[in-house]
Amino acid sequence: EPEVTQTPSHQVTQMGQEVILRCVPISNHLYFYWYRQILGQKVEFLVSFYNNEISEKSEIFDDQFSVERPDGSNFTLKIRSTKLEDSAMYFCASREDRGGVHGYTFGSGTRLTVV
Amino acid sequence: AQTVTQSQPEMSVQEAETVTLSCTYDTSENNYYLFWYKQPPSRQMILVIRQEAYKQQNATENRFSVNFQKAAKSFSLKISDSQLGDTAMYFCAFMKHVSAGNQFYFGTGTSLTVIP
């Protein structure tokens, strides 16, 4: 069964450093998403991406964050100047272009620890 | 704005017994989807079951079924014949029917423990 692949599974970074989280969506999917889950809390939407641009973003997704699809396969989330409160599980997701929820699939997540 | 409320932070059930997890939501939308996701200790998000709001019939997937009450904005999950592998965090989630972003709105989760 096709999977959304996220790397690394766990990343530790020092406060103030930049970090890039990588995702490889399912190959025929055209919509891409990032979600965040702070430990012990609910999963929260960060951003959606379609046709090489952001379609929606939440209040969490401020100027510290950016996304891009540099090579047509990877979908990345960059966090500039990380803060302690950025420590969380970050989930990538993708879905097909058939509308609705067809094929909406989450990756296994990247655990980011900011020290 | 859409909100999803899970009022049971923790629950437990004896193996082979039945348990029901509660979820309520608030929306002004008429067409939408509702979901239950399971998150085991590995923290992967696994789809358990999905319900389209326009369908009156409650969705079922093997041992999992829902009780969808649209007027009451209630969407509970029933797990029958509970198994040890059902131990996980369960999140209720909402999605608008038509949205360029198609984002999920998640509840705060219910931690379910199946007791041998």
Side-chain angles (χ1 to χ4, degrees), chain B residues 81-98:
Chain B
D81 186 24
S82 298
Q83 301 175 359
L84 296 179
D86 295 333
T87 293
M89 195 75 166
Y90 286 81
F91 291 98
C92 180
F94 170 99
M95 180 186 289
K96 287 188 277 190
H97 187 261
V98 177

Side-chain angles (χ1 to χ4, degrees), chain A residues 56-111:
Chain A
E56 284 187 35
K57 62 182 180 178
S58 71
E59 293 177 352
I60 304 169
F61 194 87
D62 58 22
D63 293 343
Q64 181 195 11
F65 295 90
S66 63
V67 290
E68 63 175 1
R69 197 154 183 251
D71 57 10
S73 62
N74 289 290
F75 176 54
T76 62
L77 174 68
K78 182 190 292 185
I79 310 174
R80 287 182 280 275
S81 188
T82 49
K83 299 174 281 195
L84 294 176
E85 53 265 38
D86 294 327
S87 292
M89 195 77 164
Y90 289 81
F91 291 100
C92 174
S94 68
R95 73 169 177 88
E96 301 175 32
D97 188 25
R98 282 199 282 151
V101 300
H102 293 285
Y104 207 126
T105 305
F106 283 89
S108 53
T110 293
R111 185 189 302 267

Side-chain angles (χ1 to χ4, degrees), chain B residues 31-59:
Chain B
N31 292 322
Y32 47 87
Y33 299 96
L34 295 163
F35 306 80
W36 280 96
Y37 272 86
K38 171 184 177 181
Q39 188 180 46
S42 65
R43 300 193 73 180
Q44 186 160 6
M45 296 293 286
I46 302 167
L47 177 65
V48 174
I49 199 165
R50 181 180 88 202
Q51 174 84 40
E52 288 88 347
Y54 65 88
K55 290 186 178 179
Q56 292 186 339
Q57 187 173 7
N58 289 324

Side-chain angles (χ1 to χ4, degrees), chain A residues 7-13 18-21 110-114:
Chain A
T7 55
S9 57
H10 188 191
Q11 179 148 3
V12 181
T13 189
E18 176 182 286
V19 65
I20 297 175
L21 311 182
T110 293
R111 185 189 302 267
L112 175 66
T113 303
V114 182

Side-chain angles (χ1 to χ4, degrees), chain A residues 33 35 37 56 91 95 101, chain B residues 39 43 99 101-104:
Chain A
Y33 308 83
Y35 289 80
Q37 185 184 28
E56 284 187 35
F91 291 100
R95 73 169 177 88
V101 300
Chain B
Q39 188 180 46
R43 300 193 73 180
S99 166
N102 274 105
Q103 60 169 287
F104 282 100

